[in-house]
Amino acid sequence: MEPFYVLTDAERDGLRAVLETVGKNPYEDYPAFSRAVADVVDRGEVPAFFREVCDRIRAERESGASDAHVLRNCPLDREIPELDLDDPVADKHAKKKTFVGEVFLELFARLVGTPLLSYATRFNGDFFTDVVAINRYSGKQTGFSDSELVFHNDRTAHPVRADFISLLGMRCPEGDYIYTGFVDGRQMLAHLTEEEQEILRQPYFITPFDVLSRDNNGDLTDSGAHPILENHHSFRYLDTSTTVVPGGPEKAKDALLALKNALVKAEKKRHRIQNGDLFTFANQDGLHSRDKMEINDPARARRRWLLKTYAFRDQAAADRHADRWIGGIQGRVGD
C-alpha cells in the first residue's frame, strides 16, 4: 500500500517532542495516562498537520472511501528495547521507560474518535499489546507466533471484537519481508449472491477460541452459533477454522464454500510495515492476514515487534458494551 501520509523528519521530531511531555505510564495507570493525552489535545499542543491527517482518515472511514490507511515516519521511542520472547510482556514492563509509541497510538485513537479497548484476561489488561513471536506459541495459529496467519478478524470467537486495529512498527527487520494483508468486506460482498449473503446472516456457524484465549481461560471452547455476515459488510470469520455448526443445513455449507471462493476473488491490499509505520484498518468490516513473503534470517524475523491497539468504532459503540467494563476502566472488557 502507498502511505496515506508521510511525515517529514521535522514533523516527526516536532510531534515526538509533544508526545514526550506525557509523563504517565500506561501500564501502571491507564486512566491517568489517557487523561494526560487528552490534556495535550485540550491545550492545543497537537501540531495542526497531524490533526488534519486524522480528520481526513476519519472522513474517509465515515464516507466509506477507505477502511485501511498507512502513516509513515511516525515518532517512536528513542530507545527500543529487545524483548525476551519467553515473556515479552513482563520484559517490556521492566525495560521500557519511555512511552512515545503508546502516546502516539492513544493520540491517534482520540483524534479519529475511536476509543481504545482492552481485554481483562489478556496481557494484564493492557491497552497496548505487543505483536511478537512468543516462544511457547511458535508454529501456532495466533498473532503472537512466528507463523503466517490466514485471513481473519481478531478475536473472532469472542462476543466483543474491536472495530479497528492499529499496528505501529517498533522493530521491523529490513532484510525480511512480512506483509499484512487486508480485504474490505465490501469487496467480498461483490462476489456473493443475495441468497448466499442471506444464509451467511443466519447463526449457522461456529468458531473455536484461539490458543491464547484458551490458555487464559480454560473454560473457553468455541463461540457458540453465530452468523458470519453482520451489519452491511461485517464478517465474523477465521479462515480454516470457522465452520458450520454440527447438524447445520446443507445450504450453510454451500454458503461457506461461496465465502471461501469470494475471499480468493476479492481485491486485496497488502502492506509491509516498516519502522515508524502506522497501519490502521477495520477489524470487523474486513479481514486481515500475515504473509511471510521472504524470510532471509528466521531468528531476526522473530524479533519483529509491532505495538498494537484495539478500538471501538466510536463512543456509541463503546457505550453499548458498558456492561462488560471491568474494574471501573472504560473500554476494558472481559474474555
Side-chain angles (χ1 to χ4, degrees), residues 83-155:
L83 298 182
D84 178 353
L85 298 182
D86 283 334
D87 191 348
V89 177
D91 201 45
K92 178 184 68 174
H93 289 179
K95 291 178 178 176
K96 199 167 189 294
K97 305 301 182 184
T98 61
F99 308 103
V100 169
E102 290 86 347
V103 177
F104 177 75
L105 288 168
E106 176 80 20
L107 177 63
F108 174 78
R110 183 170 292 276
L111 292 179
V112 297
T114 55
L116 298 186
L117 71 120
S118 73
Y119 294 92
T121 58
R122 278 198 170 196
F123 306 124
N124 305 317
D126 290 343
F127 283 75
F128 306 93
T129 60
D130 310 301
V131 181
V132 293
I134 301 175
N135 286 333
R136 66 182 178 276
Y137 297 120
S138 179
K140 298 183 179 181
Q141 189 66 195
T142 171
F144 305 98
S145 76
D146 51 5
S147 302
E148 290 193 319
L149 297 176
V150 298
F151 275 102
H152 65 287
N153 318 105
D154 269 28
R155 315 217 75 193

Side-chain angles (χ1 to χ4, degrees), residues 39-52:
D39 289 344
V40 169
V41 176
D42 293 343
R43 291 195 298 265
E45 297 174 359
V46 179
F49 85 88
F50 192 62
R51 282 181 173 271
E52 180 184 348

